[in-house]
Amino acid sequence: MLKCLHLSFLLSILCSCLVRKVLGFQWGGHSNRSPSLPPGRLRRGGQSPTLVRMSSSPTALQDLKLPAKLNELALAFAKMPNPKMRYRQLLFFAQKCPPMESQYMVEENRVPGCLSTVHVHVLPFRDDEGIVRVNFQGDSDGQLTKGLVHLLVKGLSGCTPSEIGEVDPEFVKATGLAESLTPGRNNGFLNMLKTMKKKARDVATEFEGSGSSTASVSPEES
């Protein structure tokens, strides 16, 4: 019995040595190399590699110089610790999105290139100083896209057409939202922004040409 235990102990030591030798070979033998890391996340720093942070960047958002309200919302998303929380926040936005009136859910207000059906309507008005600004209404038959369009509606309503036109689409990456969405959803979000830019530009031009001073109702705070 003692001989069997002794033999088993010796075999365990031998196996342990073999495992260490194999791992040492795979990790570069006697060199100082570390195990490989996923592509795009490795950066050399001194003698050992470090992980590159791929998440959102509040600093990058400041460089983009977004309209005040959109910057506030984008910064809030950027500070969230992970994509899952951003996803949940979008679903919360979907719940807060007021339904669009049926008269605005027409083909000319439909956003092209979205996985879900998305409508965006623009309402121009003049502020107290006579400057033309626009409000938006938006809705979708998908919960996630409804949250995305509500984010843009809240962030861009009350801005001038020129402010909206200068919004850099790269802000989507800086918020970290790109990590929470599939490529199809990301493209749809960018198409929403593109459509809102065009509508603001076109409607504001017509509004200025007509000399109208009718003000639209300000978007509901939510």
Side-chain angles (χ1 to χ4, degrees), residues 142-184:
Q143 288 301 298
L144 190 61
T145 47
K146 181 179 290 191
L148 290 170
V149 74
H150 189 56
L151 167 62
L152 290 176
V153 166
K154 286 172 63 69
L156 297 179
S157 288
C159 295
T160 66
S162 60
E163 289 173 338
I164 297 171
E166 292 173 359
V167 172
D168 191 334
E170 287 296 312
F171 92 90
V172 180
K173 295 180 182 179
T175 60
L177 282 171
E179 300 175 19
S180 305
L181 306 173
T182 63

Short mmCIF file of all heavy atoms in Angstrom, two decimals, residues 142-184:
data_model
loop_
_atom_site.label_atom_id
_atom_site.label_comp_id
_atom_site.label_asym_id
_atom_site.label_seq_id
_atom_site.Cartn_x
_atom_site.Cartn_y
_atom_site.Cartn_z
N GLY A 142 -39.66 49.24 -33.23
CA GLY A 142 -38.72 48.42 -32.47
C GLY A 142 -38.29 49.16 -31.21
O GLY A 142 -38.05 50.37 -31.25
N GLN A 143 -38.19 48.46 -30.10
CA GLN A 143 -37.88 49.11 -28.83
C GLN A 143 -36.48 49.73 -28.82
O GLN A 143 -36.29 50.85 -28.36
CB GLN A 143 -38.01 48.11 -27.68
CG GLN A 143 -39.44 47.73 -27.36
CD GLN A 143 -40.28 48.93 -26.97
OE1 GLN A 143 -40.00 49.61 -25.99
NE2 GLN A 143 -41.31 49.21 -27.75
N LEU A 144 -35.50 49.01 -29.33
CA LEU A 144 -34.14 49.54 -29.31
C LEU A 144 -33.99 50.74 -30.22
O LEU A 144 -33.41 51.76 -29.84
CB LEU A 144 -33.14 48.45 -29.71
CG LEU A 144 -31.67 48.79 -29.49
CD1 LEU A 144 -31.40 49.06 -28.02
CD2 LEU A 144 -30.77 47.67 -29.99
N THR A 145 -34.54 50.65 -31.42
CA THR A 145 -34.47 51.79 -32.35
C THR A 145 -35.31 52.96 -31.86
O THR A 145 -34.99 54.12 -32.13
CB THR A 145 -34.93 51.37 -33.76
OG1 THR A 145 -36.15 50.63 -33.66
CG2 THR A 145 -33.88 50.53 -34.44
N LYS A 146 -36.38 52.67 -31.13
CA LYS A 146 -37.18 53.75 -30.53
C LYS A 146 -36.34 54.51 -29.50
O LYS A 146 -36.40 55.73 -29.41
CB LYS A 146 -38.44 53.19 -29.88
CG LYS A 146 -39.33 54.25 -29.27
CD LYS A 146 -40.60 53.65 -28.66
CE LYS A 146 -41.53 53.14 -29.73
NZ LYS A 146 -42.87 52.79 -29.17
N GLY A 147 -35.55 53.76 -28.73
CA GLY A 147 -34.66 54.41 -27.77
C GLY A 147 -33.60 55.25 -28.45
O GLY A 147 -33.26 56.34 -28.00
N LEU A 148 -33.08 54.75 -29.57
CA LEU A 148 -32.05 55.49 -30.32
C LEU A 148 -32.61 56.78 -30.92
O LEU A 148 -31.97 57.84 -30.84
CB LEU A 148 -31.48 54.60 -31.43
CG LEU A 148 -30.61 53.43 -30.98
CD1 LEU A 148 -30.33 52.49 -32.14
CD2 LEU A 148 -29.31 53.92 -30.36
N VAL A 149 -33.78 56.69 -31.52
CA VAL A 149 -34.35 57.89 -32.13
C VAL A 149 -34.75 58.90 -31.05
O VAL A 149 -34.62 60.13 -31.25
CB VAL A 149 -35.56 57.54 -33.03
CG1 VAL A 149 -36.78 57.17 -32.24
CG2 VAL A 149 -35.87 58.71 -33.97
N HIS A 150 -35.19 58.42 -29.88
CA HIS A 150 -35.54 59.33 -28.80
C HIS A 150 -34.29 60.05 -28.27
O HIS A 150 -34.34 61.23 -27.90
CB HIS A 150 -36.21 58.57 -27.66
CG HIS A 150 -36.80 59.46 -26.61
ND1 HIS A 150 -37.71 60.45 -26.88
CD2 HIS A 150 -36.60 59.50 -25.26
CE1 HIS A 150 -38.05 61.06 -25.77
NE2 HIS A 150 -37.38 60.52 -24.77
N LEU A 151 -33.17 59.36 -28.26
CA LEU A 151 -31.90 59.98 -27.87
C LEU A 151 -31.56 61.15 -28.79
O LEU A 151 -31.20 62.24 -28.32
CB LEU A 151 -30.78 58.94 -27.92
CG LEU A 151 -29.33 59.45 -27.84
CD1 LEU A 151 -29.08 60.15 -26.51
CD2 LEU A 151 -28.34 58.31 -28.02
N LEU A 152 -31.72 60.95 -30.09
CA LEU A 152 -31.42 62.03 -31.04
C LEU A 152 -32.45 63.14 -30.97
O LEU A 152 -32.10 64.32 -31.08
CB LEU A 152 -31.36 61.46 -32.46
CG LEU A 152 -30.17 60.56 -32.77
CD1 LEU A 152 -30.28 59.98 -34.18
CD2 LEU A 152 -28.85 61.33 -32.62
N VAL A 153 -33.72 62.78 -30.78
CA VAL A 153 -34.77 63.80 -30.66
C VAL A 153 -34.49 64.71 -29.47
O VAL A 153 -34.58 65.94 -29.56
CB VAL A 153 -36.16 63.13 -30.55
CG1 VAL A 153 -37.21 64.15 -30.10
CG2 VAL A 153 -36.57 62.52 -31.88
N LYS A 154 -34.16 64.10 -28.33
CA LYS A 154 -33.87 64.89 -27.13
C LYS A 154 -32.60 65.73 -27.30
O LYS A 154 -32.53 66.87 -26.84
CB LYS A 154 -33.68 63.96 -25.92
CG LYS A 154 -34.95 63.34 -25.39
CD LYS A 154 -34.68 62.28 -24.32
CE LYS A 154 -34.01 62.86 -23.09
NZ LYS A 154 -34.90 63.76 -22.33
N GLY A 155 -31.61 65.17 -27.96
CA GLY A 155 -30.33 65.85 -28.09
C GLY A 155 -30.28 66.95 -29.12
O GLY A 155 -29.49 67.89 -29.00
N LEU A 156 -31.14 66.85 -30.15
CA LEU A 156 -31.06 67.80 -31.27
C LEU A 156 -32.21 68.80 -31.31
O LEU A 156 -32.10 69.84 -31.98
CB LEU A 156 -31.01 67.04 -32.60
CG LEU A 156 -29.78 66.14 -32.80
CD1 LEU A 156 -29.87 65.41 -34.14
CD2 LEU A 156 -28.49 66.95 -32.71
N SER A 157 -33.31 68.52 -30.64
CA SER A 157 -34.43 69.47 -30.63
C SER A 157 -34.01 70.78 -29.98
O SER A 157 -33.36 70.79 -28.93
CB SER A 157 -35.63 68.87 -29.88
OG SER A 157 -36.23 67.84 -30.63
N GLY A 158 -34.40 71.87 -30.60
CA GLY A 158 -34.04 73.19 -30.10
C GLY A 158 -32.76 73.75 -30.70
O GLY A 158 -32.41 74.91 -30.46
N CYS A 159 -32.07 72.95 -31.50
CA CYS A 159 -30.82 73.41 -32.13
C CYS A 159 -31.11 74.12 -33.45
O CYS A 159 -32.19 73.99 -34.03
CB CYS A 159 -29.90 72.23 -32.40
SG CYS A 159 -29.29 71.40 -30.93
N THR A 160 -30.15 74.86 -33.93
CA THR A 160 -30.25 75.46 -35.25
C THR A 160 -29.86 74.42 -36.30
O THR A 160 -29.14 73.46 -35.99
CB THR A 160 -29.32 76.68 -35.39
OG1 THR A 160 -27.96 76.23 -35.31
CG2 THR A 160 -29.58 77.69 -34.29
N PRO A 161 -30.32 74.58 -37.54
CA PRO A 161 -29.93 73.64 -38.60
C PRO A 161 -28.42 73.53 -38.77
O PRO A 161 -27.90 72.45 -39.05
CB PRO A 161 -30.59 74.23 -39.84
CG PRO A 161 -31.79 74.95 -39.32
CD PRO A 161 -31.34 75.54 -38.01
N SER A 162 -27.70 74.63 -38.59
CA SER A 162 -26.24 74.60 -38.75
C SER A 162 -25.59 73.79 -37.62
O SER A 162 -24.63 73.05 -37.86
CB SER A 162 -25.67 76.01 -38.77
OG SER A 162 -25.96 76.71 -37.57
N GLU A 163 -26.11 73.91 -36.40
CA GLU A 163 -25.58 73.13 -35.28
C GLU A 163 -25.79 71.63 -35.53
O GLU A 163 -24.90 70.82 -35.25
CB GLU A 163 -26.27 73.54 -33.98
CG GLU A 163 -25.86 74.92 -33.48
CD GLU A 163 -26.68 75.38 -32.29
OE1 GLU A 163 -27.81 74.85 -32.11
OE2 GLU A 163 -26.23 76.26 -31.54
N ILE A 164 -26.97 71.30 -36.04
CA ILE A 164 -27.27 69.90 -36.33
C ILE A 164 -26.39 69.38 -37.46
O ILE A 164 -25.88 68.25 -37.41
CB ILE A 164 -28.76 69.74 -36.69
CG1 ILE A 164 -29.63 70.12 -35.48
CG2 ILE A 164 -29.08 68.32 -37.14
CD1 ILE A 164 -31.11 70.21 -35.79
N GLY A 165 -26.18 70.22 -38.47
CA GLY A 165 -25.35 69.82 -39.61
C GLY A 165 -23.91 69.56 -39.24
O GLY A 165 -23.21 68.80 -39.93
N GLU A 166 -23.44 70.17 -38.16
CA GLU A 166 -22.04 70.02 -37.75
C GLU A 166 -21.80 68.85 -36.80
O GLU A 166 -20.66 68.61 -36.40
CB GLU A 166 -21.56 71.32 -37.09
CG GLU A 166 -21.47 72.50 -38.06
CD GLU A 166 -21.15 73.80 -37.36
OE1 GLU A 166 -21.03 73.78 -36.11
OE2 GLU A 166 -21.05 74.84 -38.04
N VAL A 167 -22.86 68.13 -36.44
CA VAL A 167 -22.69 66.99 -35.53
C VAL A 167 -21.87 65.91 -36.22
O VAL A 167 -22.22 65.42 -37.29
CB VAL A 167 -24.06 66.43 -35.09
CG1 VAL A 167 -23.87 65.13 -34.31
CG2 VAL A 167 -24.81 67.44 -34.25
N ASP A 168 -20.77 65.54 -35.60
CA ASP A 168 -19.88 64.52 -36.14
C ASP A 168 -20.43 63.12 -35.81
O ASP A 168 -20.63 62.81 -34.64
CB ASP A 168 -18.48 64.68 -35.54
CG ASP A 168 -17.44 63.84 -36.24
OD1 ASP A 168 -17.80 62.80 -36.84
OD2 ASP A 168 -16.25 64.22 -36.20
N PRO A 169 -20.67 62.30 -36.83
CA PRO A 169 -21.18 60.94 -36.57
C PRO A 169 -20.27 60.11 -35.67
O PRO A 169 -20.71 59.12 -35.08
CB PRO A 169 -21.26 60.33 -37.97
CG PRO A 169 -21.38 61.49 -38.91
CD PRO A 169 -20.56 62.57 -38.27
N GLU A 170 -19.01 60.52 -35.53
CA GLU A 170 -18.07 59.78 -34.69
C GLU A 170 -18.47 59.81 -33.21
O GLU A 170 -17.94 59.04 -32.42
CB GLU A 170 -16.66 60.37 -34.84
CG GLU A 170 -16.00 60.04 -36.17
CD GLU A 170 -15.75 58.55 -36.33
OE1 GLU A 170 -15.21 57.93 -35.39
OE2 GLU A 170 -16.10 58.01 -37.39
N PHE A 171 -19.41 60.69 -32.85
CA PHE A 171 -19.81 60.75 -31.45
C PHE A 171 -20.43 59.44 -31.00
O PHE A 171 -20.40 59.10 -29.82
CB PHE A 171 -20.76 61.93 -31.21
CG PHE A 171 -22.23 61.61 -31.33
CD1 PHE A 171 -22.95 61.19 -30.22
CD2 PHE A 171 -22.89 61.71 -32.55
CE1 PHE A 171 -24.30 60.89 -30.31
CE2 PHE A 171 -24.23 61.41 -32.65
CZ PHE A 171 -24.95 61.00 -31.53
N VAL A 172 -20.98 58.67 -31.96
CA VAL A 172 -21.58 57.38 -31.62
C VAL A 172 -20.53 56.44 -31.02
O VAL A 172 -20.79 55.74 -30.05
CB VAL A 172 -22.21 56.74 -32.88
CG1 VAL A 172 -22.83 55.39 -32.52
CG2 VAL A 172 -23.26 57.66 -33.47
N LYS A 173 -19.32 56.45 -31.58
CA LYS A 173 -18.25 55.62 -31.05
C LYS A 173 -17.77 56.15 -29.70
O LYS A 173 -17.48 55.38 -28.79
CB LYS A 173 -17.08 55.58 -32.03
CG LYS A 173 -17.40 54.92 -33.36
CD LYS A 173 -16.18 54.92 -34.27
CE LYS A 173 -16.50 54.29 -35.62
NZ LYS A 173 -15.32 54.31 -36.53
N ALA A 174 -17.69 57.47 -29.58
CA ALA A 174 -17.18 58.07 -28.34
C ALA A 174 -18.11 57.80 -27.15
O ALA A 174 -17.67 57.74 -26.01
CB ALA A 174 -16.98 59.57 -28.52
N THR A 175 -19.41 57.63 -27.42
CA THR A 175 -20.35 57.35 -26.34
C THR A 175 -20.25 55.91 -25.85
O THR A 175 -20.72 55.59 -24.76
CB THR A 175 -21.80 57.58 -26.80
OG1 THR A 175 -22.09 56.71 -27.90
CG2 THR A 175 -22.04 59.02 -27.19
N GLY A 176 -19.67 55.04 -26.68
CA GLY A 176 -19.62 53.62 -26.34
C GLY A 176 -20.83 52.86 -26.87
O GLY A 176 -20.92 51.64 -26.73
N LEU A 177 -21.77 53.58 -27.52
CA LEU A 177 -22.97 52.92 -28.03
C LEU A 177 -22.64 51.92 -29.14
O LEU A 177 -23.34 50.93 -29.31
CB LEU A 177 -23.95 53.98 -28.57
CG LEU A 177 -24.77 54.73 -27.52
CD1 LEU A 177 -25.53 55.88 -28.15
CD2 LEU A 177 -25.72 53.78 -26.81
N ALA A 178 -21.58 52.18 -29.88
CA ALA A 178 -21.20 51.28 -30.97
C ALA A 178 -20.91 49.88 -30.44
O ALA A 178 -21.10 48.89 -31.14
CB ALA A 178 -19.98 51.83 -31.72
N GLU A 179 -20.45 49.80 -29.19
CA GLU A 179 -20.15 48.50 -28.59
C GLU A 179 -21.42 47.78 -28.15
O GLU A 179 -21.41 46.56 -27.96
CB GLU A 179 -19.24 48.68 -27.37
CG GLU A 179 -17.91 49.33 -27.69
CD GLU A 179 -17.09 49.59 -26.43
OE1 GLU A 179 -17.39 48.96 -25.40
OE2 GLU A 179 -16.18 50.42 -26.49
N SER A 180 -22.51 48.53 -27.98
CA SER A 180 -23.76 47.94 -27.50
C SER A 180 -24.68 47.52 -28.65
O SER A 180 -25.69 46.86 -28.40
CB SER A 180 -24.51 48.95 -26.62
OG SER A 180 -23.69 49.42 -25.57
N LEU A 181 -24.34 47.92 -29.87
CA LEU A 181 -25.22 47.68 -31.01
C LEU A 181 -24.58 46.77 -32.03
O LEU A 181 -23.36 46.72 -32.16
CB LEU A 181 -25.58 49.02 -31.67
CG LEU A 181 -26.19 50.10 -30.78
CD1 LEU A 181 -26.32 51.40 -31.56
CD2 LEU A 181 -27.54 49.66 -30.24
N THR A 182 -25.41 46.07 -32.78
CA THR A 182 -24.93 45.28 -33.90
C THR A 182 -24.57 46.23 -35.04
O THR A 182 -24.99 47.40 -35.04
CB THR A 182 -26.02 44.31 -34.38
OG1 THR A 182 -27.14 45.08 -34.86
CG2 THR A 182 -26.47 43.40 -33.26
N PRO A 183 -23.79 45.78 -36.01
CA PRO A 183 -23.46 46.65 -37.16
C PRO A 183 -24.71 47.21 -37.84
O PRO A 183 -24.73 48.37 -38.26
CB PRO A 183 -22.68 45.72 -38.09
CG PRO A 183 -22.04 44.73 -37.16
CD PRO A 183 -23.05 44.50 -36.07
N GLY A 184 -25.76 46.39 -37.95
CA GLY A 184 -27.00 46.85 -38.57
C GLY A 184 -27.64 47.98 -37.79
O GLY A 184 -28.13 48.96 -38.37
#
